[in-house]
Amino acid sequence: MAEPKGETAADRAYRILRSAILSGRLPTDRKVTEAGLAEMLDLSRTPVRNAVGRLLIEGLLQRRKGSGLWCILPTRDEIRTIFDIRARLESYAAARAAEFATPLQRAELVASAARMALLVDEMLSDPHADVVPRIDAENALFHCKIVEAAHARRLELLLQSTIDVNLVTLTLQAYGTEQRMRSASHHHEIAVAIAGGMVELAGKAMEVHILSAASFVLTDPQADHPAPRQGKMPVRPG
Amino acid sequence: MAEPKGETAADRAYRILRSAILSGRLPTDRKVTEAGLAEMLDLSRTPVRNAVGRLLIEGLLQRRKGSGLWCILPTRDEIRTIFDIRARLESYAAARAAEFATPLQRAELVASAARMALLVDEMLSDPHADVVPRIDAENALFHCKIVEAAHARRLELLLQSTIDVNLVTLTLQAYGTEQRMRSASHHHEIAVAIAGGMVELAGKAMEVHILSAASFVLTDPQADHPAPRQGKMPVRPG
DNA sequence: TGCCTAAAAAATGTATCCAATTTCGCGACG
DNA sequence: CGTCGCGAAATTGGATACATTTTTTAGGCA
């Protein structure tokens, strides 16, 4: 998951910088520079510029003309907006999946939902086991497979820059037993709807799934910012 | 509109290449290379690589591992998908605008809709006048102002890469008198809804506006691909 | 003391060179 | 005659040097 082999230096810079910004390891109260980031990552400016370009497009960085880059952490309102956008785009993806998914994809979605249910059971029966990362991975896989099954490259590209693993993980970390069970139940409903070709239901079920997560995260007092840290922290190149 | 002064070489390359791809001036049946594009534009590979990177993210270019770039023209199905996505994102933008727009922005939207009505009148009374480009411009301005008034940077970024002026212009070119009148009417309805803070109505009216355009474009036998040309055509650097 | 100007410092944008990876063609061998 | 393999060519990725633009600061003059 961390460092794919065929990854270019630019990809690596992008992955590390994006994670560093969203987890608050880069300062938001002062400028950073391409040269500085390059030194930090032990790279030349070329791949860093590539990564910075993508982050500018995603809005996680902003350029103040001649005066450095500034990291932009999404505010609570912006996180709300991101969930709203996800609800609209992913429900469209689910609806399309119900219409266009291959038989194999439908089966895989049902299987993923089943695995998720098992994982939640495991969590309930043995709270000490380290199942949470596996739940996170299964969740990511499920959403990813739906977008693939929608057969809409445009949708993939848009969601890719909207859904960030850091934000999703943040969401899931805020989840408790109750919410995880409900979430697993949602996955089952969505998978069955898609497998059965029920376009409307699949879309609406996904909408509920996402907005439910949003409402939970945003009403939880702890889940404010992703690590609203201030001081400068080193980002290790590895 | 064409060439902003403070534009960098990379921006220029991006603008020209994107337009060249969508208008069919670059071949889709054989590879193009960064070096080739650079020579075409009379630039070094550096700014071209920047532009190519953005186009790869947008999906208008695709990289076949070691062997050149390929231009990807949206198929009819993909255009349909783009309209669906626009309907969902722009209706969200309109709803947000109805909630968050400043008084000035509300007034400007109403004014834009009024100007559009005047332009359509002008077109009706004097079919020979060259009002069509002005109508296109007013239309672009209207949609742009709504997205701004939504006060959601994320939405701006996503729509920016989804809405392409070439596709919109293509749509409008397919429009006749009847459709233009209806479109102007839509603009008025949307502007009034936003100005009056009617969140639901604004969103739904925008949805109708976009899907109506989609249904018209996609049922029109002439509006198939954007210039499905095959042979190689030069792209002038200017 | 305050402001204008100009020089220097900083940051980004561009060009060019080199390295690494992949492709394709050619030839030899089975 | 087909296939394997090696090498040359093509293409992209990364580093560095240079140009351009903007900011900041130092200094002089009112």
Side-chain angles (χ1 to χ4, degrees), chain B residues 43-73:
Chain B
L43 286 170
S44 85
R45 268 185 53 216
T46 306
V48 171
R49 282 190 55 183
N50 182 308
V52 164
R54 299 188 227 177
L55 293 167
L56 286 171
I57 291 177
E58 289 179 28
L60 265 62
L61 281 177
Q62 225 174 315
R63 185 146 358 237
R64 306 263 226 265
K65 294 203 298 187
S67 190
L69 299 159
W70 294 77
C71 301
I72 307 294
L73 270 184

Side-chain angles (χ1 to χ4, degrees), chain A residues 132-150:
Chain A
V132 170
R134 278 190 288 160
I135 290 183
D136 287 3
E138 192 65 54
N139 180 70
L141 184 72
F142 184 75
H143 285 268
C144 183
K145 277 195 179 300
I146 286 179
V147 176
E148 274 176 25

